[in-house]
Amino acid sequence: VPDITVNDLWGWTDPQTGREYALVGRTDGMAFVSLADPENPVYVGQLFRTNGAPVSKWRDVKVYADHAFIVADRASNHGVQIFDLRQLRGVQSTPVTFLETQYYDGIASAHNIVMNETTGFAYVVGATAGGDTCGRGLHMIDVRTPSAPTFAGCFADNSTGREGSGYTHDAQCIVYAGPDDAYQGHEICLGANENALSIADVTDKQDPRAISRAEYPNVGYVHQGWISEDHRFFYINDETDERNGLTSRTRTLVWDIEDLDDPVLANEHLGVTTSTDHNLYIRDHLMYQSNYV
């Protein structure tokens, strides 16, 4: 289809069959691709954007309990589409056009959605255009029953974000199991908030608390980050520092978060090119980092 491009990627492994699927964000909806044979991927089907929503440059998807949760930015009343991924099993004639399983209308447009698969809470960030935007910080949703999502609360640290509203561009929310004894077992969200790293305790959704914020030299745009598996370090990519001449090569910020109340910039890792880093994820002892070129 002319002018339809790809804008996001996540994945799902079917717990019954062990088959992996790629969940591919498009400007007009989602595509589902079977990786049963990775050298010969199969386009299983698609889920178009919410009825009435425009094509969007930004779409994001996360997974919980075999369901995909999908948002789109600058997309009018798109809301959160919820799709039961088990429908991908046993599809005979491909590709199939699916319908959403459930719909959450507490937000309209949003840049991103964050999922804590341990607790069953989703966090919509960068919300606009209607609903409860939560200052464009964390719009918290209880999705432990995916067919019945419910609003759980808001969090925004007004000392962060370019608008002074606590805007969160992306985040990672975890049950903390790191070296800071004060927060063992708490649900902690680490937010990439444009001009700062924001760390919050969201264990009590009715009374979430800001723990700390942290800035670093030559900040361009705090875009996204991911925590080490031992919860000792948090790695951040800055989206605009390379193209604005704020660093000589691709820069990854390494935060020592041994004390969540006092994050310390431990290192600035410089890559071998000047590419703009965009997203990064960590598994075991490897970081997988995407960039623009």
Side-chain angles (χ1 to χ4, degrees):
V1 178
D3 300 324
I4 297 301
T5 59
V6 169
N7 54 21
D8 190 48
L9 184 67
W10 203 248
W12 174 64
T13 301
D14 186 335
Q16 187 177 95
T17 66
R19 179 172 296 180
E20 294 184 40
Y21 294 85
L23 313 183
V24 184
R26 303 188 316 219
T27 49
D28 65 340
M30 294 294 304
F32 306 106
V33 179
S34 170
L35 304 176
D37 179 357
E39 294 185 357
N40 296 284
V42 175
Y43 175 33
V44 177
Q46 63 188 346
L47 171 67
F48 282 114
R49 62 196 183 278
T50 302
N51 187 37
V55 168
S56 171
K57 185 183 295 186
W58 296 279
R59 191 170 311 280
D60 194 69
V61 58
K62 297 297 187 299
V63 171
Y64 172 73
D66 303 324
H67 286 71
F69 296 78
I70 305 154
V71 298
D73 202 358
R74 299 184 188 179
S76 187
N77 290 318
H78 183 280
V80 182
Q81 288 180 300
I82 302 171
F83 177 70
D84 188 341
L85 293 161
R86 294 170 294 185
Q87 296 178 78
L88 302 179
R89 291 176 186 160
V91 170
Q92 299 298 319
S93 180
T94 61
V96 174
T97 296
F98 296 100
L99 298 176
E100 62 208 37
T101 309
Q102 186 56 269
Y103 176 72
Y104 176 80
D105 65 359
I107 61 105
S109 295
H111 188 74
N112 221 318
I113 185 167
V114 178
M115 185 66 68
N116 188 337
E117 295 184 42
T118 302
T119 62
F121 281 86
Y123 300 84
V124 171
V125 299
T128 58
D132 195 333
T133 62
C134 296
R136 306 188 73 193
L138 303 178
H139 176 112
M140 302 183 276
I141 310 170
D142 184 342
V143 297
R144 286 175 289 184
T145 302
S147 61
T150 58
F151 175 68
C154 287
F155 172 79
D157 182 349
N158 294 338
S159 69
T160 65
R162 290 177 171 174
E163 303 164 355
S165 69
Y167 173 88
T168 297
H169 192 75
D170 204 340
Q172 184 182 13
C173 298
I174 57 165
V175 174
Y176 181 75
D180 191 337
D181 291 337
Y183 296 99
Q184 286 286 330
H186 290 223
E187 189 164 10
I188 302 298
C189 289
L190 301 105
N193 286 24
E194 297 187 304
N195 60 4
L197 163 65
S198 169
I199 303 179
D201 186 337
V202 298
T203 308
D204 183 351
K205 305 299 182 294
Q206 297 302 307
D207 188 26
R209 303 289 182 92
I211 297 174
S212 59
R213 65 187 296 275
E215 298 177 340
Y216 54 88
N218 298 318
V219 61
Y221 193 92
V222 184
H223 183 263
Q224 183 263 352
W226 210 254
I227 201 167
S228 61
E229 296 205 345
D230 62 1
H231 293 183
R232 170 66 189 271
F233 295 97
F234 190 69
Y235 300 85
I236 281 178
N237 49 72
D238 185 311
E239 186 179 15
T240 66
D241 53 352
E242 293 86 10
R243 67 189 191 201
N244 290 345
L246 300 173
T247 181
S248 59
R249 302 192 302 276
T250 307
R251 180 174 62 154
T252 305
L253 292 307
V254 183
W255 291 93
D256 185 337
I257 54 171
E258 181 179 17
D259 180 358
L260 291 177
D261 292 286
D262 185 23
V264 174
L265 184 61
N267 190 25
E268 295 186 355
H269 175 268
L270 298 181
V272 297
T273 73
T274 58
S275 301
T276 295
D277 44 340
H278 196 241
N279 276 25
L280 63 87
Y281 301 97
I282 293 169
R283 182 162 183 173
D284 299 326
H285 298 291
L286 291 175
M287 176 190 294
Y288 301 85
Q289 185 179 93
S290 64
N291 56 57
Y292 278 1
V293 295

